[in-house]
Amino acid sequence: MKLETDIKRIQQLAQQREEANWAFRCFLKGSDLSIRSIDLTVHDLYQEVSREIDCIKCANCCKTVRPVLKPADVRRLAKHLESTVNEFRSGFLADDPEREGSVFRNQPCPFLQDNLCSVYNSRPTDCRSYPHLHKRDFVFRMNQAFSNCSVCPIVFNVYEELKRKFWRQRPRY
């Protein structure tokens, strides 16, 4: 499998393929494929693709995604930085009622330094889990994957390979 790793090219291709990607999402949600078989395929592809892509070279997620921080994340980061929760909140966070938590006030992530996370061992749960392709029930989280196609080379390549494997109606790019 040939992987696309250039983030600018990925963003361009994701935009060009938005309609086809949406159609594939609808196809997969309505298909007779079992959720388990889809999950196993996604998990296998995730393992295969992530072995070939170095996240540190990209770090686009840290530059463009705003993870939701739960109270435990806030406490862990405040402790790591040797500050109080209130100091940490006022220095770094904004409430996001739509997403049920707090987000970093600024982008890129304030803890991104030379494409590395300076608080890696204390990073938020959303960051630990990103790009979320290891989780179960992929078909119920496809909106998330759909939106991450333009953000993460791993997600983009997994999604493209899923289309090649499952989609009977081959799109023309």
Side-chain angles (χ1 to χ4, degrees), residues 24-47 132-142 145 158-159 161-163 165-168:
F24 175 69
R25 176 199 164 276
C26 294
F27 160 78
L28 203 56
K29 278 184 146 309
S31 77
D32 58 357
L33 295 164
S34 75
I35 292 171
R36 180 163 164 67
S37 70
I38 294 169
D39 282 351
L40 289 173
T41 303
V42 170
H43 297 165
D44 287 346
L45 288 171
Y46 172 58
Q47 290 298 317
H132 314 295
L133 296 175
H134 66 285
K135 295 179 178 180
R136 293 173 44 182
D137 300 328
F138 178 79
V139 292
F140 301 115
R141 294 178 297 96
M142 285 189 68
V158 166
Y159 204 85
E161 191 60 26
L162 277 175
K163 289 190 297 190
K165 284 186 179 283
F166 288 138
W167 209 2
R168 292 168 186 77

Side-chain angles (χ1 to χ4, degrees), residues 3-59:
L3 300 179
E4 182 62 61
T5 58
D6 179 79
I7 194 62
K8 297 285 188 212
R9 177 90 173 117
I10 286 170
Q11 290 167 341
Q12 179 185 39
L13 289 171
Q15 184 176 15
Q16 288 172 359
R17 298 175 184 175
E18 188 172 341
E19 192 174 308
N21 286 348
W22 189 258
F24 175 69
R25 176 199 164 276
C26 294
F27 160 78
L28 203 56
K29 278 184 146 309
S31 77
D32 58 357
L33 295 164
S34 75
I35 292 171
R36 180 163 164 67
S37 70
I38 294 169
D39 282 351
L40 289 173
T41 303
V42 170
H43 297 165
D44 287 346
L45 288 171
Y46 172 58
Q47 290 298 317
E48 184 180 340
V49 171
S50 62
R51 279 193 298 267
E52 301 297 321
I53 293 179
D54 183 0
C55 292
I56 294 169
K57 287 183 180 175
C58 176

Side-chain angles (χ1 to χ4, degrees), residues 2 18 63 71 73 86 97 106 118 122 140 163 171:
K2 182 182 178 331
E18 188 172 341
K63 296 170 186 171
D73 296 320
N86 288 339
N106 300 314
S118 65
S122 301
F140 301 115
K163 289 190 297 190

